[in-house]
Amino acid sequence: MGIFSKPRLRRLDRREDMPEGLWNKCLDCGAMIHNLELQQNLHVCPHCGHHFPVNSRERIEILADGGSFEETNAGLISGNPLGFQGYTEKTAILREKTGLDDAVVSGRLTIGGHRAMIAVMDFTFFAGSMGSVVGEKITRTIETAIAEKRGVIIVSASSGARMQEGMLSLMQMAKTCGALARLAEAKLPYISLMTHPTTGGVTASFATIGDINLAEPKCMIGFAGPRVVKETTHQNLPPGFQTAEFMLEHGLIDAIVTRPKLKERLAGLLGYMMPE
Ligand SMILES: [Zn+2]
């Protein structure tokens, strides 16, 4: 029965002497990329152009003029209005793990010298779901923009409404869109940037009603996931369904912008829409 005394097979996909977390495998082309190289390339694969997800802090670093970002409404955390079992504990763990208060970071900044307000959703916190705090912070971001005559940029990455907050979460869709209507009355621009993935109640509210709607290459944009759509409609989905490229072809978005070009494009658009 020698088989039971054999040493266990070592995993072949990980070298023992390689420190963990230094290398990333590109999901698209399979290339191994060093962390530093990926960081210097704004988290875009240097071989195939695949856009790795970035969190809110990294996104702000990419977009803001150096030292211009000033966070607003930090410290807002969600209650548990419905008494949903385990919700309070889950948000507490996520706060600890991510260092974020909730799934959006907002603040003032300049982009290419243009004054704006920004709200960046963060998928690492509760899959970027929108509860009361996300809706409230986005609304306050827009209200500050109106008060200070700034443009608004919202970067979306979301799994949709946060079901643990039920109707209060759905209410944020109307609230954020109402604030954007007031921004439009004040003749101030709103640029929406959709990143991977933008879905559910976020797609169905503020993310798709920008004066200009932008998206990163190949990101998923949709309401329900493709499997749900397929099962509901009993139809085969066309190739490329729910990608940014598909949405561009069908008129939902205005342009796809690669990450290295993003800051320049936003600065150009702000300059065009609100000359100072
Ligand atoms: Zn690649």
Side-chain angles (χ1 to χ4, degrees), residues 26 28-31 33 45 47-50:
C26 175
D28 215 347
C29 71
I33 312 156
C45 173
H47 307 284
C48 72
H50 172 73

Side-chain angles (χ1 to χ4, degrees), residues 2-275:
I3 192 167
F4 295 111
S5 57
K6 265 189 176 175
R8 290 177 62 193
L9 281 173
R10 286 164 66 185
R11 285 183 62 182
L12 295 174
D13 57 349
R14 190 193 293 167
R15 281 179 47 194
E16 299 279 314
D17 56 351
M18 191 188 283
E20 251 181 74
L22 269 185
W23 293 86
N24 299 274
K25 189 174 181 177
C26 175
L27 291 177
D28 215 347
C29 71
M32 294 299 287
I33 312 156
H34 194 274
N35 253 354
L36 199 63
E37 190 185 7
L38 199 57
Q39 225 171 342
Q40 285 168 346
N41 212 32
L42 307 182
H43 302 269
V44 175
C45 173
H47 307 284
C48 72
H50 172 73
H51 283 49
F52 285 75
V54 289
N55 64 32
S56 48
R57 303 280 164 194
E58 291 163 333
R59 176 71 65 183
I60 289 163
E61 212 165 287
I62 291 169
L63 296 181
D65 293 341
S68 72
F69 181 71
E70 180 196 321
E71 187 168 0
T72 52
N73 297 301
L76 279 189
I77 59 165
S78 62
N80 186 1
L82 304 186
F84 197 98
Q85 203 184 357
Y87 182 50
T88 309
E89 293 75 15
K90 185 162 182 187
T91 45
I93 291 167
L94 282 168
R95 280 200 298 277
E96 170 98 29
K97 202 172 128 190
T98 62
L100 298 165
D101 301 319
D102 210 294
V104 72
V105 175
S106 62
R108 297 177 180 85
L109 82 179
T110 62
I111 299 180
H114 301 285
R115 294 160 69 243
M117 290 299 294
I118 196 167
V120 182
M121 300 193 73
D122 199 312
F123 203 80
T124 61
F125 191 99
F126 226 122
S129 55
M130 173 166 65
S132 311
V133 171
V134 169
E136 182 63 21
K137 281 179 87 166
I138 285 177
T139 304
R140 290 188 191 185
T141 300
I142 301 162
E143 286 170 349
T144 306
I146 297 170
E148 300 180 4
K149 295 194 167 38
R150 289 168 181 261
V152 171
I153 292 160
I154 302 179
V155 182
S156 298
S158 179
S159 58
R162 192 175 295 169
M163 66 162 195
Q164 288 83 350
E165 292 187 27
M167 187 53 81
L168 290 166
S169 159
L170 295 179
M171 228 181 75
Q172 308 308 320
M173 295 169 66
K175 190 168 88 180
T176 49
C177 289
L180 284 170
R182 294 196 293 280
L183 183 81
E185 277 166 22
K187 301 201 166 21
L188 293 164
Y190 163 41
I191 303 168
S192 170
L193 171 66
M194 286 165 257
T195 67
H196 184 76
T198 298
T199 64
V202 167
T203 303
S205 61
F206 58 83
T208 45
I209 60 167
D211 296 311
I212 308 277
N213 294 318
L214 304 176
E216 286 197 324
K218 293 186 182 169
C219 71
M220 183 205 172
I221 302 166
F223 184 64
R227 190 173 49 83
V228 177
V229 176
K230 195 174 173 181
E231 280 171 9
T232 312
T233 60
H234 302 291
Q235 281 180 11
N236 283 327
L237 304 172
F241 183 66
Q242 290 188 333
T243 58
E245 287 71 15
F246 187 89
M247 297 303 175
L248 178 66
E249 206 177 300
H250 291 79
L252 185 88
I253 59 172
D254 299 302
I256 295 171
V257 186
T258 60
R259 203 171 285 158
K261 296 263 180 215
L262 205 50
K263 183 175 177 182
E264 188 191 327
R265 178 65 77 93
L266 287 175
L269 288 170
L270 283 171
Y272 181 69
M273 291 195 285
M274 47 182 315

